[in-house]
Structure formats: structure tokens, C-alpha cells
């Protein structure tokens, strides 16, 4: 069997199978990667900044295409109403609450616009509540940042009850109950540039530009499955061919092999008879004459 499996023609078949399996596996992985990539969010157009009043309404809803848009806001900060968003990192996409316990604070300060409404502004990040950067700029300021939708109150895992002046999320519904008696615009702005006013600037928080959700291209997933099915079929064909070759080898006998087999059988039979075979046939027939002399046997 081993002689058949390693015959030159089957060795070529083995090598061909290895090449097919490697190639088809890689092609399937490539198509699967294209499928996975198609579902990832992609960067969308990032238009020029517009006034925050254009995209952040006073109502309870915000347009989906307004999220992460660049906006500008001009007004004065209300320092008495500033809040610290506890347990936050200097990345807007980072975790919050218990997952970022003790990692710092966002500075959340209401900005009063010219029309008298308030918009929540995250001025930056500080490592501790006593950081000098918590001081609020005075006078009229211009804020440039990205508009974010309000966070839900259960968007982070809370670590416990927070003291007065600290919150766990930037929730418009929650801020309305804290900044009572004010008209608050929906959402909040994360500053993307330092805000003047003569105070130390907190660390700017990293934000992402607008994105659009990806749509999976299921065709590529089908292509990946197709390549792997082809690889399985190649293994099946290889198995059938090798099996037929082994069975054919067992059923076919060459003339030389037949002669060798006959010789071996003859030798085996002679060996089994042994040296006593001649004695078993009895004494040789002889004729005796007068006086006991041996007579000649005809034919001798």
C-alpha cells in the first residue's frame, strides 16, 4: 500500500491537493475579510461648522445626521452651575462609570447663548476635582466642538451615589432637573479647541468625526463559503482517486509476481513433505534368485 501511495503519479496528486487547499483556504479568508470590513462604520462627510442653534433643538429629539457635526456657540458660561462628570477618560468613546473608576472628570459647564437658552458644553478633561483647569472662563467666549446626542442615564454602570456637583452621565433629561428654570437645548457639545478666558485650559477630549453605518455584502460571505466547499470537494476527489489506485494495485498481478508466487508455493509444499516421504512409499521391489542372490530387475 505504501508503495502505491508514494508512486510518482500519486506524489504529484498529493502536492496538487496541498496547493489547492492552501489557495482555496486563503481565497475564502480574503472574501470573509471583505465581508467583515463591509459592515464596519465608515467616515462620512464632515461639513464646515454651523451654529449650534441650527442642529441642537429645544425639543426632545435630535436629527441623526447632526451627531458628531462640528458646531460653534457664542455666549457666556454659567460658572455657578458647572458640574463634574465623574469617572471619565479623555476619550469620548472611552468607558464611563465603574469601568473608568477614578480616571478623571469631564468639565460640564452650561453656556448661555444670545437667545437666552443654555447648551451643555464639555470643556475638557481633568485628572482631579481640584485641578486649576476647573476654573470657568469669564466673559463672552466662542466654543468650537462636536455635537453629541444626550446620554441615557443607564449608559454607564454607576459606582454608587455621587455627591452634589457630580453626575455620571450627560443626560439632557437629568440636566433639566438640575438646571431648573432654564431652556436647555438637546444634546451637548464637546469642545475640540481650547476656550479662552484667562484660565488654565483642561485637556481636550478626543472625538470622532461623523460616521455612517456599514452594510454587509452577503455576496462576499457566499464567495467565502464557495471556496471552502471547493476545497472539501478537492479532498473528496483525492480520496476517491487514491482509494481506486490502492484497490487496483491489490487486484492486479504481473507475470513476474505470478511466477514468484508459484515457485514459493512449490517450495512450501516440498518443505512440508520432509525427508521421510520416500520411506513411506515402502521398500524397492527386488527379485531374488537361487541361493539368495539378487536377481536383476528388468529395466535396471
Amino acid at each position: 500500500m505504501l508503495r502505491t501511495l508514494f508512486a510518482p503519479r500519486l506524489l504529484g496528486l498529493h502536492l496538487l491537493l496541498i496547493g489547492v487547499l492552501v489557495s482555496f483556504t486563503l481565497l475564502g479568508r480574503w472574501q470573509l475579510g471583505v465581508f467583515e470590513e463591509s459592515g464596519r462604520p465608515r467616515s462620512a462627510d464632515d461639513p464646515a461648522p454651523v451654529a449650534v442653534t441650527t442642529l441642537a433643538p429645544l425639543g426632545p429629539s435630535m436629527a441623526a445626521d447632526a451627531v458628531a457635526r462640528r458646531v460653534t456657540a457664542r455666549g457666556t458660561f454659567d460658572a455657578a452651575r458647572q458640574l463634574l462628570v465623574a469617572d471619565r477618560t479623555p476619550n469620548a468613546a472611552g468607558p464611563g462609570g465603574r469601568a473608568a473608576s477614578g480616571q478623571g472628570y469631564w468639565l460640564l459647564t452650561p453656556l448661555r447663548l444670545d437667545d437666552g437658552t443654555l447648551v451643555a458644553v464639555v470643556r475638557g478633561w481633568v485628572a482631579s476635582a481640584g485641578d486649576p483647569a476647573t476654573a470657568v472662563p469669564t466673559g463672552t467666549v466662542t466654543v468650537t466642538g462636536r455635537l453629541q446626542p444626550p446620554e441615557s442615564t443607564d449608559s454607564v454602570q454607576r459606582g454608587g451615589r455621587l455627591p452634589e456637583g457630580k453626575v455620571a452621565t450627560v443626560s439632557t433629561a437629568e440636566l433639566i432637573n438640575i438646571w431648573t428654570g432654564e431652556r436647555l437645548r438637546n444634546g451637548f457639545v464637546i469642545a475640540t479647541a481650547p476656550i479662552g478666558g484667562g484660565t488654565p485650559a483642561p485637556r481636550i477630549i478626543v472625538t470622532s468625526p461623523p460616521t455612517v453605518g456599514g452594510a454587509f455584502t452577503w455576496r462576499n460571505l457566499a464567495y467565502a463559503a464557495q471556496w471552502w466547499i471547493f476545497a472539501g470537494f478537492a479532498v473528496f476527489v483525492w480520496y476517491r482517486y487514491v482509494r481506486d489506485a490502492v484497490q487496483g494495485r491489490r487486484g492486479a498481478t504481473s507475470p513476474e509476481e505470478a511466477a514468484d508466487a508459484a515457485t514459493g508455493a512449490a517450495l512450501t509444499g516440498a518443505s512440508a513433505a520432509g525427508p521421510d516421504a520416500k520411506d513411506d512409499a515402502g521398500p524397492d521391489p527386488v527379485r531374488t534368485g537361487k541361493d539368495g542372490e539378487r536377481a536383476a530387475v528388468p529395466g535396471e
Side-chain angles (χ1 to χ4, degrees):
M1 179 178 177
L2 290 178
R3 183 182 301 176
T4 303
L5 290 176
F6 290 100
R9 115 183 126 168
L10 288 185
L11 280 177
L13 182 64
H14 302 334
L15 294 176
L16 177 62
L17 175 67
I18 293 173
V20 167
L21 291 180
V22 172
S23 301
F24 286 10
T25 301
L26 293 178
L27 287 170
R29 284 292 306 168
W30 167 56
Q31 290 293 340
L32 181 62
V34 174
F35 167 74
E36 293 174 342
E37 187 66 27
S38 66
R40 292 192 176 97
R42 301 184 303 275
S43 296
D45 294 336
D46 194 7
V50 297
V52 69
T53 53
T54 305
L55 301 177
L58 286 171
S61 63
M62 176 188 297
D65 58 359
V67 176
R69 285 278 303 274
R70 291 183 293 170
V71 295
T72 59
R74 180 178 174 83
T76 57
F77 282 120
D78 189 342
R81 298 176 183 263
Q82 177 169 271
L83 299 171
L84 299 179
V85 185
D87 302 325
R88 292 300 177 112
T89 68
N91 191 323
R98 184 175 297 178
S101 179
Q103 295 192 26
Y105 301 90
W106 285 358
L107 300 180
L108 179 62
T109 314
L111 180 69
R112 189 175 301 278
L113 305 178
D114 294 338
D115 61 359
T117 61
L118 294 182
V119 61
V121 175
V122 175
R123 297 191 292 117
W125 175 89
V126 292
S128 64
D131 194 298
T134 58
V136 179
T138 58
T140 302
V141 297
T142 299
V143 177
T144 302
R146 291 193 181 275
L147 184 63
Q148 303 295 323
E151 298 178 332
S152 61
T153 55
D154 59 351
S155 60
V156 300
Q157 187 176 9
R158 299 171 183 262
R161 185 177 180 84
L162 294 172
E164 185 178 356
K166 295 182 181 180
V167 292
T169 60
V170 188
S171 168
T172 302
E174 185 177 3
L175 292 176
I176 289 176
N177 296 322
I178 297 176
W179 298 335
T180 56
E182 301 288 350
R183 294 186 299 157
L184 180 63
R185 293 188 175 273
N186 200 13
F188 62 100
V189 177
I190 297 181
T192 56
I195 302 171
T199 60
R203 181 174 174 178
I204 296 299
I205 297 171
V206 177
T207 56
S208 301
T211 59
V212 293
F216 285 111
T217 55
W218 297 98
R219 179 182 66 254
N220 295 104
L221 182 61
Y223 288 160
Q226 176 180 291
W227 283 117
W228 293 332
I229 291 173
F230 286 165
F233 182 72
V235 173
F236 173 74
V237 172
W238 168 85
Y239 167 75
R240 290 293 300 269
Y241 193 89
V242 171
R243 187 191 66 177
D244 292 346
V246 171
Q247 290 178 347
R249 175 74 177 179
R250 290 173 178 173
T253 304
S254 65
E256 294 80 1
E257 291 174 336
D260 292 343
T263 302
L267 292 174
T268 302
S271 175
D276 296 334
K278 184 176 180 180
D279 295 340
D280 293 341
D284 293 339
V286 296
R287 292 180 182 179
T288 57
K290 293 180 179 180
D291 301 330
E293 294 181 355
R294 182 179 181 273
V297 178
E300 287 187 349

